[in-house]
Amino acid sequence: MDADVIVVGAGPVGLFLAAELKLAGAEPLILERLEAPSEESKSRGLGALATEALWRRGLGPQLAEADVAGTKDLARDHGSTRGHFANIFKIVPSADRPRTNIWQPELERVLAKHAEGVRILRGHEVTALESDVDGVTVTAGKTWRARYVVGCDGGRSTVRKLAGFEFPGTPALLRTIAGQARFAGDLPPSGRHAGGTFLHGGSMVGLAEPAANPEPVTAADFAASIRRITGADVVIEEFREERRFGDQARQADDYRRGRVFLAGDAAHVHSPSGGQGLNLGIPDAANLGWKLGAVLRGDKPEAFLDTYTRERHPAGEAVLRNTRAQSALLAPGPHVDALREIVGEVLDLPEANRYFADLLSGVRERYDFPYPAPAPAGEHCPDLELVDTAGRTTRLHEHTRTGRGLLLTAEHPADPRVDVVPVTNTGPLLLRPDGVIAWAGEGPLDVALDTWF
């Protein structure tokens, strides 16, 4: 074997997954088709669950530093630091479950440093994949062999296609174009127009219109789209860092085919509305990494890996649902305008605002367990303040860098399978390595420990 797990794709999800595998005692190998990391802006932020996942591994200071500049860029480009639902910028960020504003190239640099020691082979494009009872053979220039393969290779995933995953869903209704531009003369107002949406702030510009030509965008194409949307002719002196994307919503029928897994955009694609892509993909990696490690160590049986799809597939379905709803609210026309006004009024209600904030952050997710486990079991635990038996105060993320389970209790006996922190102000709680609450004081603790560890 060349590795325990071959991770295909060195984007944020692939890098974080590889680091999680290394932490769990496995030997990962990343194969990446690009010769060098991309500097395309792509994503500009992490939601609460992804932020907490990275804080748990000691990356909080890097995220906090990047967030300062990222928040300034967000205010410049969007005119607001509030969250949005279909570009209705009224969602108040949660103070207790914060997100991080960080551009994807910077995030990849942070994660690449975090994954130091992991072999990353660039310029290796996967062209064939074959599974058998003992492992998987991957062809990428030469052949590579591993126990498992995880496709983290994006929405057009080669791994997904080669392994035969179904990818059902809905086609794009809208196309969005964004980039950096410099114009000569005045621009039409930023906002909704008869033919679609045209937004501009600072040097950032973007538009959304009914789905059309998917080919690469030139400055002339962009000007033509602005004309269709607003009726105005504009002169573009410079157009760069252009990117286009649609709102097709598709999800793999399963996230596992034997020894082959999918994570991130390889498993699900959707509109970028609400900035939920990495907030879905990073928790995919957090969920899968420790489980693969447990099976590779021999701590858990092969069937344990089926819990990955059972838990993460519904999370993907939830994001596809809300991004489809946002696409409906982004379509042009007076009927949609009227609906947007009503949704905007609803967002002025504090309870509704919190509902939408929780919806976009994913913190309302709750996994079903194979044993009775009332809430908050099944939920992702926030970064709690902890007070130990000596009166010392710490934060939860200070105790989670080992990648092991964590028992917060001052009453229950220690267990060698998990780390124990004696606390007096919360709990008892049993946390999995992905930050999910496995037990919260109701029912036998042994059942939860035996299930996950």
Side-chain angles (χ1 to χ4, degrees):
M1 295 285 179
D2 297 294
D4 291 322
V5 183
I6 290 176
V7 177
V8 180
V13 175
L15 288 168
F16 187 64
L17 174 61
E20 289 292 280
L21 289 165
K22 193 79 171 178
L23 189 62
E27 185 62 34
L29 167 65
I30 298 179
L31 300 178
E32 167 58 51
R33 68 177 180 84
L34 297 179
E35 296 284 352
S38 172
E39 289 299 317
E40 291 184 26
S41 299
K42 296 181 182 177
S43 168
R44 67 184 304 154
L46 301 171
L49 297 186
T51 294
E52 290 168 357
L54 271 55
W55 272 82
R56 285 195 298 271
R57 299 300 182 253
L59 300 178
Q62 297 94 315
L63 296 188
E65 182 180 358
D67 184 66
V68 175
T71 300
K72 289 180 181 178
D73 288 349
L74 183 67
R76 177 199 66 203
D77 298 339
H78 286 182
S80 173
T81 57
R82 290 196 169 191
H84 72 90
F85 191 82
N87 289 342
I88 304 173
F89 285 86
K90 287 192 173 186
I91 297 176
V92 179
S94 172
D96 57 338
R97 308 295 289 264
R99 61 173 286 120
T100 303
N101 297 309
I102 180 172
W103 290 103
Q104 184 163 329
E106 178 61 22
L107 176 62
E108 290 188 11
R109 284 189 282 272
V110 169
L111 289 174
K113 185 171 180 60
H114 176 59
E116 278 184 345
V118 173
R119 288 180 296 164
I120 303 176
L121 300 180
R122 293 189 172 275
H124 286 68
E125 183 172 3
V126 172
T127 56
L129 181 153
E130 184 176 351
S131 297
D132 55 52
V133 295
D134 298 316
V136 187
T137 301
V138 176
T139 302
K142 57 168 279 187
T143 58
W144 309 86
R145 183 96 174 137
R147 292 272 301 278
Y148 300 98
V149 167
V150 185
C152 301
D153 50 341
R156 296 181 176 87
S157 172
T158 298
V159 171
R160 186 183 67 232
K161 295 169 185 174
L162 291 174
F165 288 86
E166 298 294 327
F167 202 48
T170 53
L173 300 177
L174 300 170
R175 78 159 181 172
T176 299
I177 307 170
Q180 302 270 351
R182 187 175 72 247
F183 295 87
D186 296 330
L187 294 177
S190 182
R192 288 174 59 79
H193 296 265
T197 301
F198 176 52
L199 301 173
H200 52 83
S203 63
M204 288 290 295
V205 291
L207 59 83
E209 62 178 341
N213 187 357
E215 296 305 313
V217 179
T218 66
D221 296 328
F222 194 63
S225 290
I226 295 173
R227 187 182 310 112
R228 284 194 297 271
I229 291 171
T230 68
D233 287 313
V234 299
V235 177
I236 301 177
E237 295 182 329
E238 182 184 18
F239 186 50
R240 58 188 176 83
E241 295 187 23
E242 64 276 5
R243 54 196 185 279
R244 57 180 175 78
F245 37 85
D247 60 348
Q248 64 170 320
R250 300 187 182 278
Q251 185 177 28
D253 57 335
D254 200 322
Y255 289 5
R256 179 189 186 191
R257 283 273 190 278
R259 294 184 173 274
V260 181
F261 296 81
L262 301 176
D265 289 351
H268 37 70
V269 297
H270 52 82
S271 164
S273 291
Q276 299 169 86
L278 286 178
N279 201 49
L280 188 58
I282 294 293
D284 285 350
N287 189 290
L288 181 58
W290 71 275
K291 293 177 179 177
L292 277 170
V295 172
L296 286 163
R297 291 193 308 269
D299 294 345
K300 305 300 292 184
E302 186 82 16
F304 184 63
L305 297 173
D306 292 334
T307 63
Y308 171 57
T309 295
R310 286 204 298 268
E311 294 180 346
R312 294 308 298 163
H313 201 277
E317 289 176 340
V319 171
L320 265 64
R321 173 175 171 262
N322 85 59
T323 54
R324 284 183 175 123
Q326 292 186 71
S327 290
L329 283 168
L330 286 167
H335 293 83
V336 176
D337 289 342
L339 181 59
R340 289 175 62 86
E341 288 180 12
I342 292 172
V343 172
E345 292 168 1
V346 168
L347 284 171
D348 290 331
L349 303 174
E351 288 186 7
N353 199 289
R354 184 57 188 256
Y355 168 83
F356 279 91
D358 289 350
L359 181 72
L360 295 178
S361 69
V363 299
R364 298 173 69 92
E365 287 177 10
R366 184 165 180 267
Y367 298 154
D368 289 328
F369 290 159
Y371 52 87
E379 299 175 2
H380 288 80
C381 190
D383 189 30
L384 301 172
E385 180 179 87
L386 305 177
V387 180
D388 67 17
T389 51
R392 291 184 294 265
T393 300
T394 57
R395 304 294 303 193
L396 176 62
H397 72 262
E398 298 176 56
H399 304 277
T400 55
R401 297 186 186 183
T402 65
R404 286 164 48 87
L406 185 66
L407 181 60
L408 305 177
T409 181
E411 302 173 359
H412 294 77
D415 188 288
R417 292 171 289 182
V418 296
D419 296 334
V420 179
V421 177
V423 298
T424 61
N425 68 321
T426 190
L429 295 174
L430 175 65
L431 305 183
R432 304 188 324 189
D434 57 354
V436 172
I437 301 170
W439 174 82
E442 293 194 35
L445 173 58
D446 288 345
V447 172
L449 285 166
D450 291 343
T451 297
W452 303 114
F453 306 104

